[in-house]
């Protein structure tokens, strides 16, 4: 006799998720969105602007994505409009992934010592404070709890050549994850960060000599393999699921073990 049906450990059936930061089919956010969908979630997603939309639509059109909304977090009211649309369409939100980072090119390629105040402020606003704003806007849509995820990088805690300005910015993001987790824990809203090793995405291509970083990561990691966007997505889906109900305030590496190497 067959036994009772077993619910998969990672099960997002019936959950509503928001994915911010899909740039194209190769972006980390795209890999996560596909994993969310495979686990049964219904999604909303954003695109930066009309120029970016044709690169995002091929990703979302293949998913159970009911809302595709414009969102440039630098524009006043843009993020608020996204959450208002989710409230209208679904009345709630169960999890979100924030996978956005930006720094002006001149500041990103300069020494931290030389970065401009305006460039530093913009990088912090887009890459860190927008996640805090997401948490504030998501909280009322998560009366029964939920999960907030962001994306970091080990350049937050160790000096990575050419990562420059984004190092302090990601450090601020990781600290924000811990404080948000503490503040939102009583509402059963979990807050975590994924920390992939270097992955060849469009956003990462802005880092000077990024190919060298990829080669070094593959050489140094115990598995001698680079993480893929699907690897990151698998962790994201787990953290968004009820199976991760007691995991919060963490920064979890997805890098083939590179983070353990001196």
């Amino acid at each position: 006799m067959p036994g009772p049906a077993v619910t998969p450990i990672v099960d997002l059936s019936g959950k509503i998720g928001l994915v911010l930061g899909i740039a194209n089919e190769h972006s980390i956010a795209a890999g996560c969105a596909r994993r969310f969908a495979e686990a049964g979630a219904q999604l909303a997603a954003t695109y930066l602007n009309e120029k970016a939309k044709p690169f995002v639509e091929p990703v979302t059109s293949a998913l159970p994505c009911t809302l595709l909304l414009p969102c440039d977090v630098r524009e006043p009211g843009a993020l608020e409009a996204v959450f208002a649309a989710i409230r209208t369409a679904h009345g709630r939100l169960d999890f979100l992934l924030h996978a956005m980072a930006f720094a002006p090119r001149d500041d990103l390629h300069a020494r931290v010592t030389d970065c401009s105040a305006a460039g530093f402020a913009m990088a912090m606003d887009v890459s860190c404070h927008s996640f805090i704003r997401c948490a504030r806007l998501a909280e009322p849509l998560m009366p029964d709890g939920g999960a907030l995820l962001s994306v970091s990088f080990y350049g937050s805690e160790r000096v990575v050549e050419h990562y420059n300005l984004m190092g302090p910015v990601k450090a601020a993001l990781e600290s924000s994850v811990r404080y948000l987790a503490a503040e939102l824990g009583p509402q059963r809203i979990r807050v975590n960060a994924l920390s992939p090793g270097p992955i060849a995405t469009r956003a990462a291509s802005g880092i000077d000599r990024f190919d060298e970083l990829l080669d070094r990561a593959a050489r140094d990691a115990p598995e001698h393999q680079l993480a893929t966007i699907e690897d990151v997505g698998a962790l994201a889906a787990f953290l968004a699921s009820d199976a991760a109900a007691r995991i919060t305030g963490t920064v979890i590496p997805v890098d083939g073990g590179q983070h353990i190497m001196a």
Side-chain angles (χ1 to χ4, degrees):
M1 295 287 292
V6 177
T7 301
I9 291 176
V10 178
D11 183 11
L12 299 178
S13 300
K15 294 188 182 294
I16 307 296
L18 169 63
V19 179
L20 301 112
I22 298 175
N24 56 42
E25 63 179 340
H26 304 295
S27 63
I28 288 172
C32 292
R34 288 192 283 265
R35 291 294 196 184
F36 293 146
E38 289 169 5
Q42 187 173 347
L43 300 175
T46 66
Y47 59 93
L48 179 62
N49 50 36
E50 289 302 315
K51 183 178 179 180
K53 188 177 181 180
F55 297 96
V56 179
E57 283 183 317
V59 177
T60 57
S61 63
L63 304 174
C65 184
T66 56
L67 293 172
L68 180 58
L69 304 162
C71 184
D72 182 340
V73 296
R74 297 170 296 183
E75 297 293 331
L79 197 56
E80 289 77 4
V82 169
F83 283 85
I86 292 171
R87 178 183 290 278
T88 299
H90 301 292
R92 75 176 207 278
L93 184 66
D94 297 299
F95 66 89
L96 71 79
L97 171 75
H98 171 283
M100 295 182 293
F102 175 77
R105 184 178 180 86
D106 289 346
D107 292 287
L108 181 60
H109 287 184
R111 302 186 305 171
V112 173
T113 307
D114 300 322
C115 74
S116 68
F120 186 86
M122 181 175 290
M124 285 290 289
D125 182 50
V126 174
S127 312
C128 179
H129 191 257
S130 65
F131 182 58
I132 297 173
R133 289 164 57 201
C134 283
R136 183 173 66 248
L137 292 165
E139 183 180 9
L141 294 176
M142 295 181 167
D144 300 317
L148 309 177
L149 303 173
S150 193
V151 180
S152 190
F153 182 65
Y154 65 78
S156 62
E157 56 185 77
R158 290 182 288 164
V159 175
V160 174
E161 194 174 9
H162 306 300
Y163 199 56
N164 301 344
L165 171 59
M166 290 309 299
V169 170
K170 291 296 189 182
L173 176 66
E174 291 182 6
S175 183
S176 298
V177 163
R178 291 186 284 272
Y179 277 87
L180 291 171
E183 293 173 358
L184 298 176
Q187 286 79 261
R188 292 188 297 149
I189 297 174
R190 297 172 285 110
V191 189
N192 293 291
L194 319 167
S195 185
I199 296 175
T201 64
R202 191 181 74 175
S205 66
I207 299 170
D208 193 27
R209 297 166 71 176
F210 187 70
D211 287 347
E212 295 179 14
L213 183 60
L214 289 172
D215 292 341
R216 188 163 60 250
R219 182 193 66 223
D220 294 345
E223 294 185 346
H224 301 302
Q225 296 284 331
L226 295 173
T228 67
I229 59 175
E230 288 76 20
D231 295 329
V232 183
L235 175 61
F238 167 71
L239 290 173
S241 76
D242 295 340
R246 299 296 173 262
I247 301 175
T248 193
T250 62
V251 179
I252 303 180
V254 193
D255 62 1
Q258 185 188 8
H259 67 283
I260 68 173
M261 305 303 294

